[in-house]
Amino acid sequence: DSGVTQTPKHLITATGQRVTLRCSPRSGDLSVYWYQQSLDQGLQFLIQYYNGEERAKGNILERFSAQQFPDLHSELNLSSLELGDSALYFCASSVTRQNYGYTFGSGTRLTVV
Amino acid sequence: QKEVEQDPGPLSVPEGAIVSLNCTYSNSAFQYFMWYRQYSRKGPELLMYTYSSGNKEDGRFTAQVDKSSKYISLFIRDSQPSDSATYLCAMSGPAVGNEKLTFGTGTRLTIIP
């Protein structure tokens, strides 16, 4: 157990729907990162939050949004889902904004049908 | 052209062999270099972390960074079946204000008993 908790582990939904993925960082970690992993694209950075504030944005679609709450857990909202959004979504956390590597959760496997 | 290139493999070697995994990159601003190991259906796990050029050893694992050639390597000595996984290189720029990691697509490694 890495200490980063992601729920749900699996999600199957239809095109056009909206889902919310949840992440609880390791105790004491202030930064949360969201990544998307697909077979052909590898791990792609979506967005980072640090202590409740958005810090960096990657190739995140406008249909996707995220936030970090005062208790530091984070949610990634995916709307108007398309077949191509099917992927593994990982959350990671780190204690500071420094790059000593971060700890990943086990991911949420999203299947859009 | 991707910022980080990694041979996807797959790579199969007999148990006990030395494994060499490599990545090249194009962004000269990268200063932090990491190797992650990802088992099937699990989140990536940080194996090695290196700052700037040089070597770092941890047990059977050695990470090398050559910034002049924009080339990083991970060597695994005395490889074991439990080393069978996908290995991802990752890198980032200066710590503050640029915490996102850019990943290679991963090399799938199988150690044959």
Side-chain angles (χ1 to χ4, degrees):
Chain A
D1 182 7
S2 69
V4 179
T5 304
Q6 288 189 250
T7 56
K9 292 192 184 307
H10 303 279
L11 202 47
I12 301 175
T13 190
T15 54
Q17 295 298 305
R18 172 189 170 95
V19 297
T20 298
L21 313 183
R22 182 188 168 101
C23 169
S24 294
R26 285 188 319 174
S27 177
D29 285 0
L30 299 178
S31 274
V32 169
Y33 310 79
W34 286 98
Y35 279 79
Q36 179 192 58
Q37 187 176 41
S38 57
L39 279 174
D40 56 344
Q41 292 289 324
L43 271 165
Q44 300 291 314
F45 171 71
L46 295 178
I47 198 164
Q48 177 204 356
Y49 282 85
Y50 176 77
N51 203 20
E53 293 185 3
E54 183 183 303
R55 283 285 304 163
K57 231 173 184 177
N59 298 324
I60 187 167
L61 300 171
E62 285 191 12
R63 300 183 286 108
F64 295 1
S65 64
Q67 55 183 329
Q68 186 180 29
F69 294 87
D71 66 353
L72 301 177
H73 92 271
S74 178
E75 292 181 356
L76 179 67
N77 300 296
L78 315 176
S79 61
S80 302
L81 285 167
E82 302 174 359
L83 295 177
D85 297 327
S86 296
L88 266 169
Y89 290 84
F90 285 105
C91 167
S93 72
S94 66
V95 63
T96 69
R97 295 182 298 173
Q98 291 176 294
N99 261 324
Y100 298 139
Y102 30 77
T103 303
F104 281 84
S106 294
T108 293
R109 182 173 293 276
L110 172 66
T111 302
V112 182
V113 297
Chain B
Q1 183 189 4
K2 292 183 178 180
E3 277 190 295
V4 180
E5 299 279 357
Q6 184 175 8
D7 187 339
L11 181 62
S12 295
V13 300
E15 183 176 354
I18 295 175
V19 176
S20 172
L21 304 167
N22 311 294
C23 287
T24 59
Y25 63 95
S26 57
N27 188 344
S28 58
F30 286 148
Q31 294 184 9
Y32 297 86
F33 304 91
M34 290 144 234
W35 286 94
Y36 282 81
R37 177 175 63 194
Q38 185 175 20
Y39 291 113
S40 181
R41 300 183 181 278
K42 299 288 187 183
E45 168 196 12
L46 180 64
L47 269 181
M48 301 284 288
Y49 164 87
T50 310
Y51 171 70
S52 194
S53 285
N55 293 358
K56 186 172 184 178
E57 190 172 317
D58 184 2
R60 297 183 296 110
F61 298 89
T62 299
Q64 286 186 352
V65 175
D66 181 351
K67 290 190 72 180
S68 63
S69 302
K70 295 190 179 67
Y71 188 88
I72 71 170
S73 301
L74 177 71
F75 297 95
I76 307 174
R77 291 183 299 280
D78 187 25
S79 55
Q80 304 293 311
S82 59
D83 295 328
S84 297
T86 296
Y87 288 79
L88 301 142
C89 62
M91 46 199 80
S92 70
V96 179
N98 189 10
E99 293 86 27
K100 75 157 192 165
L101 290 180
T102 301
F103 284 84
T105 50
T107 299
R108 190 168 181 178
L109 172 68
T110 301
I111 307 298
I112 304 165

